[in-house]
Amino acid sequence: MEASKVYFTDFSATPSCNLLQKLEKLVKKAGIQTIDFKDKYTAIKIHLGEPGNISYLRPNYAKVIVDLIKKQGGKVFLTDCNTLYVGRRKNALDHLDAAYENGFNPFATGCHVIIADGLKGTDEVLVPVDCEYVKEAKIGHAIMDADIVLTLTHFKGHESTGFGGTLKNVGMGCGSRAGKMEMHSAGKPLVDKALCRSCGMCRKNCAHDAISFDENRKAEIDHNKCVGCGRCIGACNFDAVNPMGDETNDILNCKIAEYAYAVLKDRPQFHISLVVDVSPYCDCHAENDIPIVPDVGMFASFDPVALDVACADAVNRQPVLSGSLLSKKPQDHHDHFTDTHPETNWQSCIDHAVKIGLGRREYELITIK
């Protein structure tokens, strides 16, 4: 079977060609203009960034893509869905405030932001997929109303899935609140009470009142209330909260692949991923840690699976940055994402995506100067 084409350019720039011009050149070479955008509603799925985190993609990159689509007559908007966890993107009003604060407004990007699952995360479309884990995906309504789906992804690490790439941006990111709960429901964390310092950060970051403290002031999690969002894992500074030691993160990854399939199947699509500021945790955190590797470059492809694999391979070829979370951990797995979060297995998402026909693992990397 023929390998999928993935296009790449690095972050070097010259007075005659800046990074935004390089991004435009990259996506044109990758074939974005072969899509018929004329009078088509085009959703660009992007993470708008949790305020306090400054590693999210700058709005400047989005404007490059928006301008290209508008020149071809497309009706384009930026979009994301509401979150499960405590933060400033849990409802559409706060979410839009956060987006504007981070620079995602019509003046900076040339288009509007639409929160796809509505005011409270309940505006969804039930998409039949009949896959192994998901039978009916719950997707933000505005995303399913779009004629074309594009993704603009910040490629980085993730505490539950290994890394957050295009598949996660689409699968988890396009799920309504009920969809996110369905994907997370199998992966619920536990507290190592010997490591718990009773600081209360896990409880503060739990949106579902699932964390309490026992008679010794040690945290404990009520799995009847817990939705498995993993926010408490990142909130704990003492590694006291961890996923259960079973296959649940693999199931989470498989569900993400199936949700991505629900969004993308039988629709025109194009995907862009920027491997920059590769923080160990998701941009849903209200902070970002030291990147685990140096910046790599920009990638684009029609195949979301091949794109994620190419980005992961590129990261794994990089040296570990001193002072980063990864530099403080054993390098046992010869894989930067697994070494950063040993309880994760990003390959499970890729394998399942290939299995359900979402894309190919094999790719041909084409470098654009």
Side-chain angles (χ1 to χ4, degrees):
M1 186 178 291
E2 184 182 355
S4 295
K5 290 180 171 59
V6 177
Y7 292 77
F8 166 76
T9 191
D10 62 25
F11 282 118
S12 61
T14 66
S16 61
C17 188
N18 63 35
L19 293 182
L20 302 180
Q21 291 167 324
K22 289 190 79 172
L23 175 59
E24 180 176 357
K25 183 178 180 181
L26 174 75
V27 298
K28 285 181 175 179
K29 289 286 188 180
I32 193 172
Q33 291 174 302
T34 64
I35 299 173
D36 178 15
F37 290 106
K38 180 67 174 175
D39 295 325
K40 303 287 184 17
Y41 289 101
T42 303
I44 300 179
K45 174 61 183 72
I46 189 170
H47 195 302
L48 299 167
E50 186 70 25
N53 186 314
I54 58 172
S55 69
Y56 62 90
L57 295 184
R58 296 182 182 186
N60 312 63
Y61 293 117
K63 189 175 191 303
V64 171
I65 310 305
V66 168
D67 287 348
L68 276 174
I69 296 168
K70 290 171 74 174
K71 284 178 184 177
Q72 292 184 243
K75 300 178 182 295
V76 60
F77 61 97
L78 300 178
T79 192
D80 200 359
C81 287
N82 292 307
T83 63
L84 277 176
Y85 58 82
V86 172
R88 290 185 50 196
R89 297 182 304 118
K90 197 179 175 185
N91 64 74
L93 297 181
D94 292 341
H95 204 153
L96 286 170
D97 285 344
Y100 295 154
E101 183 176 315
N102 284 341
F104 293 98
N105 59 69
F107 304 103
T109 64
C111 73
H112 291 287
V113 174
I114 297 176
I115 305 306
D117 59 345
L119 182 62
K120 297 182 179 180
T122 57
D123 187 11
E124 62 192 17
V125 175
L126 302 180
V127 182
V129 289
D130 198 25
C131 290
E132 183 175 350
Y133 297 97
V134 178
K135 303 305 177 185
E136 198 173 54
K138 304 167 183 69
I139 307 298
H141 207 146
I143 289 167
M144 294 311 299
D145 276 348
D147 302 302
I148 300 167
V149 177
L150 272 59
T151 63
L152 183 55
T153 300
H154 174 215
F155 194 88
K156 67 281 183 188
H158 194 277
E159 57 271 30
S160 297
T161 60
F163 66 68
T166 298
L167 293 176
K168 186 172 184 299
N169 185 18
V170 178
M172 183 62 69
C174 292
S176 65
R177 174 154 299 140
K180 286 181 171 66
M181 290 178 70
E182 179 178 24
M183 284 181 275
H184 277 302
S185 62
K188 298 185 178 182
L190 295 171
V191 178
D192 183 342
K193 295 189 177 184
L195 296 177
C196 177
R197 303 288 185 86
S198 309
C199 69
M201 287 301 294
C202 56
R203 183 167 63 181
K204 180 180 178 181
N205 281 271
C206 180
H208 305 279
D209 194 30
I211 300 177
S212 59
F213 288 86
D214 63 18
E215 64 277 7
N216 296 314
R217 294 292 302 159
K218 301 294 184 179
E220 53 188 15
I221 300 172
D222 182 347
H223 283 181
N224 291 320
K225 295 181 179 179
C226 174
V227 301
C229 71
R231 184 66 176 168
C232 55
I233 297 172
C236 181
N237 293 319
F238 308 104
D239 295 324
V241 187
N242 293 283
M244 292 188 291
D246 55 18
E247 65 177 3
T248 54
N249 278 335
D250 284 350
I251 294 174
L252 171 63
N253 268 333
C254 290
K255 288 181 177 180
I256 286 172
E258 293 179 2
Y259 261 70
Y261 176 77
V263 173
L264 298 175
K265 67 185 179 77
D266 303 324
R267 304 172 80 187
Q269 58 186 271
F270 186 82
H271 309 285
I272 307 154
S273 194
L274 274 60
V275 185
V276 58
D277 293 325
V278 186
S279 51
Y281 298 116
C282 181
D283 287 347
C284 291
H285 284 246
E287 82 290 331
N288 55 285
D289 200 11
I290 298 169
I292 61 174
V293 298
D295 294 344
V296 177
M298 299 180 275
F299 297 75
S301 180
F302 285 98
D303 185 334
V305 181
L307 182 60
D308 269 358
V309 175
C311 291
D313 287 348
V315 168
N316 281 326
R317 288 193 292 268
Q318 303 305 307
V320 177
L321 286 182
S322 176
S324 69
L325 177 66
L326 178 55
S327 72
K328 302 169 186 175
K329 297 201 171 189
Q331 309 295 302
D332 294 333
H333 300 89
H334 307 291
D335 181 288
H336 290 336
F337 298 110
T338 307
D339 284 332
T340 303
H341 301 293
E343 68 281 358
T344 65
N345 173 25
W346 62 266
Q347 300 276 4
S348 60
C349 187
I350 300 297
D351 290 342
H352 198 66
V354 171
K355 178 181 176 182
I356 63 179
L358 194 52
R360 303 186 184 115
R361 177 183 282 274
E362 296 76 22
Y363 64 91
E364 175 190 0
L365 191 66
I366 301 167
T367 299
I368 307 300
K369 299 296 186 182

